[in-house]
Amino acid sequence: KRTRKPSEVIQDSNFRKLPQLSSYPDEFKPLIEEKIRLFHGRKFVFNAFNKFCQENTKGYFTVVGDAGMGKSSIAAKYVSENHSPCYFNVIAEGRNRPEQFLNCIRQQLINKYDLQDAKDADLSTLLVKVGKKLSVDKSLIIVVDALDEVEQESGAANILYLPENLPERVYFFLTRRPYTQDKKRLRISVPSQELDLSQTEYHQLNIEDIKGYICLFLNFDEQYKDALRKWINRRNINAAQFIEQVAEKSENNFMYLRYVLPEIARGIYNDLTLQQLPSGLENYYQTHWIRMGMDDKPKALKVKILFVLVEVVTAIPCEMIADILKEDEYEVESVLDEWVEYLKRQKIEGETCYGIYHKSFLDFLKSKRALDSTRRLFKEVNQDIANYYLGEKGDNLG
């Protein structure tokens, strides 16, 4: 054991002061900025990781938590404060393959440590090269988010081909959803530790962080704070009651708050009392689905558009969705605008493309595929996608 304080120490910062992100890959900058904009708390996680680094000369530290518990935000916060090499797996953007991870981390390490003869090096070789450049009071910490979203062929190899052994002063900070042992895929010969956010010992700390997050919306978010307070005042309740009950409704889920608080501010729940708000993330998705009338026949196009995004997985332009479904592009764009909170817009080769924002919503939509009310629509969408690609292939041959 050693008492050396690791060079990377997380600091609590004002959420309105965003760090310079010039040192990070461009594809991660929007994600990091969004995740840390209203970041609050989670000191117990960072303290546990710092303690792990103090007590071990190398190793793997993994944050485990259910969908929406803030794992990606924790990873983004650590990266933003410590300028650590990082990789964020995002299934909805098709950025979740081992080769993509290696290429990205390799380039970051080459740039950060001025590595020579490393452009084709594997991860173990890269880490050894970096290890030789580290002074005794410095360490390398690589942050990898969302291991559960990795797409990798089955086999004996570790997930993302992470090394079994690590050089001295090299650490990995990982996040993932709960898993069974057969899905772990991380056989290692170095110290390791897991912090499960859902454990009883962290329950009160999670509640305090959730309440602090709600306070940020009420007091500092310029876009929503005034409307939220009007909603509260119309119901003759005070801010403390609102914070307490919404925190309870959230079931310690930050993603729930990310959706519900803006929707309250926009008037979507003007017909509901505080007690009538949905409880928990899954129930929230279902409640919103029903309130949007998605099970009604006239809304079939809306369901099919979402199913296209589920099946294609990677972000695609509105024009492509319209072509697949043989629908008017303006109608498709109108539907996409209605679901803007759940979708991620990004520019790809100059085109605005759409994908599912969070894996929890992707999982919810996948569960809808098997229901009798939507099974037929799902089959139609699959056929439409197949016809689209067959037609595109035929055009290329022609």
Side-chain angles (χ1 to χ4, degrees), residues 34-92:
E34 180 189 352
K35 293 294 184 182
I36 66 175
R37 188 180 71 86
L38 286 172
F39 188 90
H40 178 80
R42 322 315 270 161
K43 287 184 179 180
F44 67 95
V45 178
F46 302 125
N47 288 342
F49 177 57
N50 285 340
K51 185 172 184 290
F52 174 79
C53 292
Q54 290 169 356
E55 296 178 347
N56 300 279
T57 61
K58 55 187 172 183
Y60 286 92
F61 184 91
T62 305
V63 178
V64 179
D66 292 323
M69 291 194 76
K71 302 183 298 299
S72 294
S73 295
I74 290 170
K77 183 66 172 179
Y78 193 89
V79 169
S80 71
E81 293 287 342
N82 299 291
H83 306 286
S84 300
C86 61
Y87 194 82
F88 292 82
N89 291 285
V90 185
I91 190 173

Side-chain angles (χ1 to χ4, degrees), residues 104-156:
C104 185
I105 291 296
R106 181 195 289 129
Q107 193 58 55
Q108 290 179 73
L109 294 179
I110 288 174
N111 293 344
K112 187 178 180 72
Y113 295 99
D114 192 27
L115 301 182
Q116 302 300 314
D117 301 319
K119 64 183 182 66
D120 296 316
D122 60 23
L123 187 55
S124 293
T125 302
L126 289 165
L127 297 181
V128 169
K129 286 178 176 288
V130 172
K132 292 177 179 178
K133 288 177 169 282
L134 294 174
S135 57
V136 293
D137 63 338
K138 297 293 183 180
S139 55
L140 166 64
I141 296 173
I142 298 177
V143 177
V144 186
D145 181 50
L147 291 185
D148 51 280
E149 299 196 29
V150 172
E151 181 183 344
Q152 181 176 337
E153 291 73 17
S154 59

Side-chain angles (χ1 to χ4, degrees), residues 91-362:
I91 190 173
E93 297 177 10
R95 189 171 62 241
N96 60 338
R97 298 281 303 173
E99 60 272 18
Q100 296 168 314
F101 161 75
L102 175 58
N103 290 338
C104 185
I105 291 296
R106 181 195 289 129
Q107 193 58 55
Q108 290 179 73
L109 294 179
I110 288 174
N111 293 344
K112 187 178 180 72
Y113 295 99
D114 192 27
L115 301 182
Q116 302 300 314
D117 301 319
K119 64 183 182 66
D120 296 316
D122 60 23
L123 187 55
S124 293
T125 302
L126 289 165
L127 297 181
V128 169
K129 286 178 176 288
V130 172
K132 292 177 179 178
K133 288 177 169 282
L134 294 174
S135 57
V136 293
D137 63 338
K138 297 293 183 180
S139 55
L140 166 64
I141 296 173
I142 298 177
V143 177
V144 186
D145 181 50
L147 291 185
D148 51 280
E149 299 196 29
V150 172
E151 181 183 344
Q152 181 176 337
E153 291 73 17
S154 59
N158 275 345
I159 193 166
L160 293 178
Y161 301 104
L162 295 174
E164 179 180 343
N165 293 290
L166 299 173
E168 295 293 298
R169 299 185 299 282
V170 173
Y171 304 87
F172 277 85
F173 185 103
L174 311 171
T175 76
R176 68 189 304 168
R177 287 198 196 183
Y179 59 89
T180 56
Q181 280 302 116
D182 61 308
K183 296 291 180 62
K184 183 175 183 178
R185 296 194 69 174
L186 190 59
R187 289 166 289 279
I188 53 178
S189 301
V190 295
S192 65
Q193 180 180 327
E194 287 191 356
L195 188 154
D196 189 337
L197 295 170
S198 64
Q199 289 295 308
T200 304
E201 62 186 297
Y202 304 122
H203 180 69
Q204 189 57 42
L205 295 171
N206 282 321
I207 291 175
E208 291 171 6
D209 288 347
I210 284 285
K211 290 180 180 179
Y213 183 73
I214 300 171
C215 282
L216 289 182
F217 266 93
L218 285 178
N219 296 311
F220 298 109
D221 192 290
E222 296 298 330
Q223 186 175 0
Y224 299 121
K225 65 178 184 179
D226 293 338
L228 284 171
R229 291 198 171 269
K230 286 180 182 178
W231 192 92
I232 292 170
N233 293 336
R234 288 195 200 102
R235 285 154 182 79
N236 296 316
I237 56 178
N238 58 45
Q241 289 174 302
F242 178 82
I243 292 169
E244 189 74 29
Q245 293 194 41
V246 172
E248 185 176 342
K249 291 280 187 182
S250 76
E251 298 179 356
N252 293 336
N253 195 289
F254 287 89
M255 186 56 59
Y256 171 95
L257 298 174
R258 185 220 177 249
Y259 288 131
V260 168
L261 292 175
E263 288 183 351
I264 290 174
R266 292 200 301 271
I268 291 176
Y269 296 111
N270 279 345
D271 60 331
L272 299 183
T273 66
L274 186 56
Q275 292 76 20
Q276 290 173 323
L277 292 176
S279 298
L281 186 60
E282 187 173 346
N283 188 44
Y284 161 76
Y285 285 140
Q286 180 60 28
T287 299
H288 190 77
W289 183 270
I290 293 171
R291 288 173 69 84
M292 292 284 283
M294 298 298 285
D295 286 330
D296 300 336
K297 287 185 178 180
K299 300 295 177 69
L301 175 60
K302 295 185 178 183
V303 177
K304 291 174 74 172
I305 289 171
L306 292 177
F307 279 170
V308 168
L309 295 177
V310 170
E311 288 304 284
V312 176
V313 181
T314 56
I316 58 175
C318 175
E319 181 183 5
M320 181 176 172
I321 300 172
D323 288 345
I324 288 172
L325 298 176
K326 294 183 172 57
E327 296 287 348
D328 182 76
E329 188 174 341
Y330 174 79
E331 292 296 327
V332 172
E333 188 171 12
S334 297
V335 173
L336 294 172
D337 287 342
E338 284 187 35
W339 288 91
V340 65
E341 288 295 317
Y342 307 84
L343 305 179
K344 185 168 186 174
R345 297 187 190 190
Q346 57 182 313
K347 287 285 186 181
I348 300 178
E349 297 181 355
E351 282 192 291
T352 300
C353 297
Y354 298 82
I356 305 297
Y357 173 76
H358 194 262
K359 192 170 184 292
S360 60
F361 187 53
L362 183 66

